[in-house]
Amino acid sequence: MAEGNKMREMSVNKLMVQMGIPMILSMALQAVYNIVDSAFVGNMRRGSEAALNALTLVFPVQMLMVAVGIGTGVGTNALLARTLGQGNEKKAAKVAGNSLFLGIIIYAICLLFGIFGVKAYISSQTVDPEVVSMGTSYLRICCIISFGIISFSLFEKLLQATGRSLYSTIGQVVGAVINIILDPIMIYGIGPIPEMGVEGAAYATVIGQVVSAVLLFVFHIKMNKEFEHNVKYMKPDGGIIREIYAIGLPAIIAQALMSIMVYAMNLILKFSPSAQTAYGLFYKVQQFVLFLAFGLRDAITPIIAFAYGMHSKKRVQDGIMYGLIYTIVLMIVGVAITEIFPGAFATLFNAGQSREYFIGAMRIISVSFIFAGINVAYQGIYQALDGGIESLVISLLRQLIVILPLAGIFSTFVRNGQMGISLIWWAFPITELIACLVGYVFLKKIRKNKVERLS
């Protein structure tokens, strides 16, 4: 079945599985090589504890770069899928071209921060000179060569919008494998390659990202034949850029809030470097689980957006139903893994003094995964149905309005010695449950006002 016909005619259940599995595997692999990075760094011969702390501190900026790239891609994805559903090929070409123009602007900003802002950012979270040095070196490399991850994020969404998620997965897999192979070679120094420590981890990461981006660019040019490819379509079009960010800006803010939340949690936990490192390590495990939901969300959004463009009420309803069912199943598996194997993850990272805090965080925070996964699915549904504000509100609740005040209040009891550090971890399940309840109310409203009115 041709790709365009597949989005229009294949049963939604089958389409969700066919598109979702490659995306889930792609996101899972991305999370795995984040874990592998930390595992290799945690087993360095010298300075492994400082290196793990440095990676914890740089992580929010890495997430922010990905947030802007993916958020722009999400807006492009939903708008392009809807435009193709309406049969408007000329506008589709402009949507794709303008997304690439935006990618150039995003890279220029990351480059400037990499040159001028990195050291001040790292120094705001720690006074340890070894951690400052390692974090600055790692983050500077990632920012200066960030064109790989930004380009990859955009081309990935362009392929997903036309139903070609398998090709985006191939690009992700190739980049991840290259990263994993290069990590030990460049971190420890093997053969003619000198030992580079955390800088080696950074170079391995950006090389893998650049290779992925180049591969997806080739797939985009050769496979996405539904619209024309030409440099003239990169000319900025204010109307299309506004449409992209009407959908994508809430996604950017949602992802950026993750960066703000991790940065703020690092400040809240600054009184205990071991707890700070434990949270950073756990966050990478948490990403592995939640990235499964993000992968499925990237199938939910174009499927529902295409159906909404077709004015197919049944296909929109099926997309919502199957998206939520499969998300819950994935999250149950994620909870089982993290509750059963916390000690194995601690050993993998060589967590050292952070081990006890890490295991405690894993056992408590993983309770929130089912609610968090549902919230991620809700946001994919909202974005497909022009519900950007609802998506933004859920993100604000999850990553700012509820979580940070709650964690801050709990931390005062911990610092005063009245309670253990585990009290802070309970802020996460409480927050996700509250956001999930609000998200359900939003979903009922959107279904009534938009889905039920479709012919």
Side-chain angles (χ1 to χ4, degrees):
M1 186 181 294
E3 299 295 340
N5 290 338
K6 180 176 75 174
M7 293 288 284
R8 190 180 301 274
E9 298 171 8
M10 182 181 287
S11 74
V12 171
N13 185 19
K14 186 176 179 180
L15 186 61
M16 188 79 67
V17 172
Q18 190 177 102
M19 288 182 62
I21 288 177
M23 294 181 188
I24 291 166
L25 293 175
S26 173
M27 295 298 284
L29 191 60
Q30 183 177 335
V32 164
Y33 77 71
N34 284 338
I35 291 173
V36 170
D37 255 6
S38 293
F40 282 124
V41 167
N43 286 280
M44 285 166 44
R45 288 191 291 269
R46 296 182 302 275
S48 61
E49 287 268 352
L52 285 174
N53 197 5
L55 292 189
T56 296
L57 302 185
V58 306
F59 199 50
V61 173
Q62 288 181 288
M63 291 167 60
L64 186 58
M65 290 190 294
V66 172
V68 179
I70 288 182
T72 303
V74 165
T76 302
N77 181 336
L79 181 59
L80 183 59
R82 189 184 312 150
T83 302
L84 290 172
Q86 295 166 343
N88 191 339
E89 295 179 9
K90 184 175 180 180
K91 183 179 178 180
K94 289 184 177 181
V95 171
N98 273 253
S99 74
L100 301 183
F101 165 78
L102 293 169
I104 294 171
I105 301 300
I106 294 165
Y107 170 63
I109 295 169
C110 293
L111 177 63
L112 290 173
F113 178 78
I115 296 171
F116 299 110
V118 167
K119 187 171 183 179
Y121 165 78
I122 298 294
S123 299
S124 71
Q125 300 173 84
T126 182
V127 294
D128 186 324
E130 186 178 18
V131 175
V132 170
S133 175
M134 288 181 171
T136 300
S137 298
Y138 183 97
L139 188 54
R140 182 162 287 143
I141 292 166
C142 290
C143 289
I144 290 174
I145 315 180
S146 60
F147 56 82
I149 186 60
I150 293 166
S151 301
F152 169 81
S153 300
L154 294 175
F155 289 125
E156 177 187 42
K157 299 304 180 188
L158 288 170
L159 287 163
Q160 290 172 0
T162 58
R164 296 180 173 91
S165 56
L166 176 61
Y167 295 100
S168 67
T169 302
I170 292 171
Q172 180 80 275
V173 169
V174 171
V177 169
I178 289 173
N179 187 350
I180 292 169
I181 291 171
L182 291 180
D183 260 336
I185 295 173
M186 304 185 86
I187 292 172
Y188 305 139
I190 297 175
I193 306 298
E195 180 179 350
M196 289 188 280
V198 292
E199 289 188 8
Y203 281 119
T205 296
V206 296
I207 290 171
Q209 291 168 349
V210 169
V211 171
S212 291
V214 170
L215 193 55
L216 290 198
F217 170 72
V218 173
F219 287 151
H220 167 65
I221 295 298
K222 290 187 174 296
M223 303 294 176
N224 279 345
K225 298 297 187 182
E226 289 82 0
F227 50 88
E228 187 180 349
H229 306 285
N230 196 302
V231 176
K232 68 181 181 182
Y233 293 116
M234 292 179 65
K235 181 180 178 181
D237 183 315
I240 286 177
I241 291 173
R242 280 192 296 271
E243 285 190 83
I244 288 174
Y245 282 121
I247 303 167
L249 186 59
I252 291 175
I253 295 173
Q255 296 274 356
L257 285 173
M258 293 170 66
S259 299
I260 295 169
M261 182 186 74
V262 174
Y263 177 71
M265 286 298 298
N266 285 338
L267 295 180
I268 289 170
L269 296 168
K270 194 173 181 179
F271 68 92
S272 172
S274 293
Q276 199 178 53
T277 301
Y279 173 67
L281 293 176
F282 172 77
Y283 199 86
K284 297 198 173 185
V285 178
Q286 175 180 265
Q287 272 202 313
F288 172 73
V289 178
L290 292 187
F291 271 26
L292 304 179
F294 288 141
L296 187 57
R297 179 202 64 190
D298 288 344
I300 293 170
T301 299
I303 289 171
I304 294 178
F306 197 102
Y308 189 53
M310 290 172 57
H311 293 271
S312 174
K313 178 178 176 181
K314 183 178 187 307
R315 290 181 71 83
V316 171
Q317 290 175 329
D318 286 350
I320 294 171
M321 179 180 68
Y322 289 117
L324 288 172
I325 289 172
Y326 291 142
T327 297
I328 291 170
V329 171
L330 286 172
M331 292 302 97
I332 290 172
V333 173
V335 171
I337 291 171
T338 49
E339 289 289 345
I340 295 171
F341 303 111
F345 282 107
T347 301
L348 174 68
F349 292 129
N350 191 22
Q353 297 179 11
S354 306
R355 181 184 180 90
E356 182 181 345
Y357 291 140
F358 173 76
I359 292 175
M362 182 169 288
R363 290 208 180 279
I364 293 170
I365 302 177
S366 63
V367 173
S368 69
F369 288 163
I370 293 177
F371 303 120
I374 293 172
N375 287 327
V376 170
Y378 281 160
Q379 290 177 293
I381 295 166
Y382 302 155
Q383 289 159 6
L385 299 173
D386 288 333
I389 297 300
E390 289 83 355
S391 178
L392 176 58
V393 170
I394 295 299
S395 295
L396 288 168
L397 290 174
R398 294 179 62 216
Q399 292 152 350
L400 187 66
I401 294 172
V402 179
I403 182 67
L404 294 182
L406 205 55
I409 292 168
F410 288 168
S411 72
T412 61
F413 293 100
V414 176
R415 289 198 298 269
N416 293 334
Q418 298 174 21
M419 300 289 287
I421 195 79
S422 61
L423 180 63
I424 296 175
W425 310 140
W426 278 107
F428 292 86
I430 294 170
T431 297
E432 294 292 359
L433 175 59
I434 292 170
C436 192
L437 294 174
V438 174
Y440 176 71
V441 173
F442 286 161
L443 181 62
K444 288 185 67 176
K445 178 183 174 183
I446 285 178
R447 292 182 73 160
K448 178 181 178 181
N449 293 341
K450 296 186 176 181
V451 181
E452 295 300 329
R453 294 182 179 182
L454 295 175
S455 57

